[in-house]
Amino acid sequence: MSLPNATPRPEGELEQLEAVWKAPTGWRILGAINNTYIGLFFVGAALLFFVLAGILALLMRTQLAVAENDFIGSDLYNQLFTMHGTMMMFLFAVPVVEAVAILLLPNMLGARDLPFPRMGAYAFWAYFIGGLCFFSSLFFDLAPDGGWFMYPPLTSFEFSPGVNSDMYMLGIGFIEISAVAGAIELIVGIMRTRAPGMSLDKLPVYAWAMLVFAVMVILAFPAVILATLLLELERAFQWPFFIADKGGDPLLWQHLFWLFGHPDVYIIFLPAAGMVSVIIPTVVQAPLVAYRLVVLALLGTGFVSFGLWVHHMFATGLPQLSMSFFSAASMAVAIPSGIQIFAWIATIASGRIRLNTPALFILGFLVIFTIGGLTGVMVAMVPFDLQVHDTYFVVAHFHYVLIGGMVFPLFAALYYWMPTVSKNALSERVGRWVFGLIFIGVNVTFLPMHVTGIVGMPRRVYTYPAELPWQGLNLVSTIGAFTIAAGVLLFLIDLARKMRFSFGENPGNIWNASTLEWLPNDVYQTRSIPIVTSRDPIWDQPNLAKDVEAGAYFLPGTRTGRRETIVTSPIDARPQHVLQLPNEPDWLPLLAAACTAAFFFGLTFKIVLPSLAIGVLAVALMIAWAWSTDPGPELGPIDIGADIRLPVYATGPESHSWWALITFILFSGSLYACMIFTYFFLWTVNPGEWPPPDVTPVSTGWGLAAAASYIASSGLVAVAGRALISSGTGAGLQVSVALLTGLALLFGGLAIEIYGQWQSGLNPTAHSYGAVVYAFSALQGQYIGAVAIMGGYTVARAVSGRLDGVRRSTFDNTMLLWHYTVAQALVGLLVVHGFPRVTG
Amino acid sequence: MSAATGGGFAPRVLLACGGLLIWGAHFLFIYVFAALACARAFAGMRLIGVGVVPFTIMASTVAALLLLAWLSRRAWRVESRVHAIDPDTPRFLRHLGAALAVYSAAAILLQALPVLILPVCV
């Protein structure tokens, strides 16, 4: 095969590439936005939170080591177990898998960076600053104390009047937004920035896993975001979504929470499974067996895991038949998990395993995760579950699943991929000790806990009387917990000793791995972007590393004088256009994230006006960073090699920003579906009282008027879109007038709806009916606010001459969200105005 | 943009994942229907001698499986046609779609079976 570019490459080309991609140094590193830096920051922060949450666990184990201990009181203990669970799930498990992906994926896919570097940086800083503030609440006795799943009524205003629960609602709610931003970036990165030739059948399994992960984040997180939003509305304004006396239902929270919470288990496990599917072939030096079936397993698990949520609610009194659907789905999801485990065992059998540290952690994962899976089958049986519900048996079960299914693969990954970012690999000798201590520690801690639970110890008690037969078992668990801590400490010492971040001076492909991240790379990733013809390119494509390094493949330098990466088609990975990426340092993401955090935490403490001012500042900073996007087509088309000339600009469905917006709309659709679920759920718990007897439904005229206003605004935007195409540069004024009028109509529709309800006497605090009707408008108001910002921004682009018939990406994206917002509003009006009349 | 050049992405991917989408729709339907039958007390109704809940669940299962069969056939044909126009595009989605359809059919059957042995609202 002849290669795309002739070698040797012209003098100065490499130097120019290096100059364009030069990473910031010194304190300017805080303004870094490239994926390697952000990925490393992200992994480091997640490990920090892992250690902090682990220390909380040690405090709890110390308290429980002996009976009637007075080391920690009940109030602090409540905060400790809540923070331990919340931090491990929201500040460690989900972020760390996202972090590893941000670090690795561009390398693995043959891209120079992820498509939205600044959004990645924003997601990191929002998470890091938010996480630190959230953790600090412990020092002020303000940490949430209602358990990581925060069930109302315990966590509502009546029984938790302090700000402790608000810390969870706003703090975690905001960190979830960062997870969603990261997921959007990963989806677009995986679908659109793969090396030419890396069609879906050659995508590394890890990338498949991260794709499924990211889609699951997009679809599952809205449930918990909505739940926390509703509970905060109840806490702050007494809108009774969860108060049974006023037509609410605490079970609504459980449904919404676990609709997120169960997929979340797989959100954590699938990336780990993806890591395992990449590491095993390397440690046995043989290709993964049954690649297609493993991909099937990832997709199947991703979908079916949304049908499991009620198995966290077996003790809530649902009918047997309803529970059996969830039992059936729980069994169905075992099929893909089984496929993956057999594929790994078969791969190990087809090669010859080298027992290095990553391999040890993989074997540890198989053992511990399988034990957790077996106790999972036990609690999947409803009668057994009722016996051990809320006992230490369950604590033992989910620690086996989560530590086995996620922490062990993560350690394997840290040992395995360290040479791609550090001058030295981690020590093999120390690594064996780390593995041994953690493996033994986990079993000593959690194996006896099964018995502790069966003999009756409930979870979340801060102490217990000496007469009960729990003391010996608890002491053993405490010794085990400190053994795990010793293992983690040893790992950190080794990390401090060996990890030296570097570009270009790394030890290279020390494991003889087969995927692209092991090609020689530097701050710009690989010198040229390879053509991929195999699932294991380094093994199957001779001289790949040498030719890539020599610049013989695509885009060996910069053609526009700026940062660039190739955008390829989503299924076949054929080059489509070149994406221009922003330079660094760029301080706007960091500042915007800090302002967003200040906004949310200010609201937590009810400092309303300053918070709103800072919120406006956050939006202004984001607008400032958006201003350099949508650069227009002037610099292209350019030659990337093999006589392929690509444009440097795209709009509509080919553009990366369009894909991001479609992904955001999927997220929004899921959020709205949860809102509609909430409405109908509350209807089912209020038989014959929907609306309640003292409420007169608002006249249909108000709903029709609001709908007409919304439809007219969408129509105006569509007309503006046509005008932009036909009039080219001269359409600025027309577009501006149309958009501003359209915005007035959007706000008008919302005002009509709210006023109509209000004048009919509907009160959001009297009954869940009123609360949910106004909640529709509250949600709609947020979307209209977002469209107003985008619409105003688009007008500014038009007025400043940055919008025309070709350079119209900004307009196209605004239009897409606009139409979605209107469609969503119409569905909401149909439900709120139509349904009570149908049933009424 | 033709399907072979990466356009037509959404229909091709939706067809390949069609089995799982039908599984999801079926799951949601039978869960909501059974819950409503109990919450609104119409579970005692009978249709041609069978309780309304078992009848509806079985009927929806047959409908879901028929739809699944039709959709998989269509997915297979679309992918074959894409491959015929553009032989360089891999047959991956065709195989993946077929395998997902088999898995989805098994999951649909599994979740429909309990209605044959369990009481509806107890």
Side-chain angles (χ1 to χ4, degrees), chain A residues 728-743:
Chain A
T729 48
L733 186 66
Q734 277 168 281
V735 168
S736 303
V737 172
L739 289 182
L740 292 173
T741 318
L743 279 180

Side-chain angles (χ1 to χ4, degrees), chain B residues 32 41 97:
Chain B
V32 168

Side-chain angles (χ1 to χ4, degrees), chain A residues 100-112:
Chain A
V100 172
I102 287 176
L103 182 61
L104 286 179
L105 272 178
N107 272 333
M108 201 182 261
L109 301 174
R112 295 221 188 274

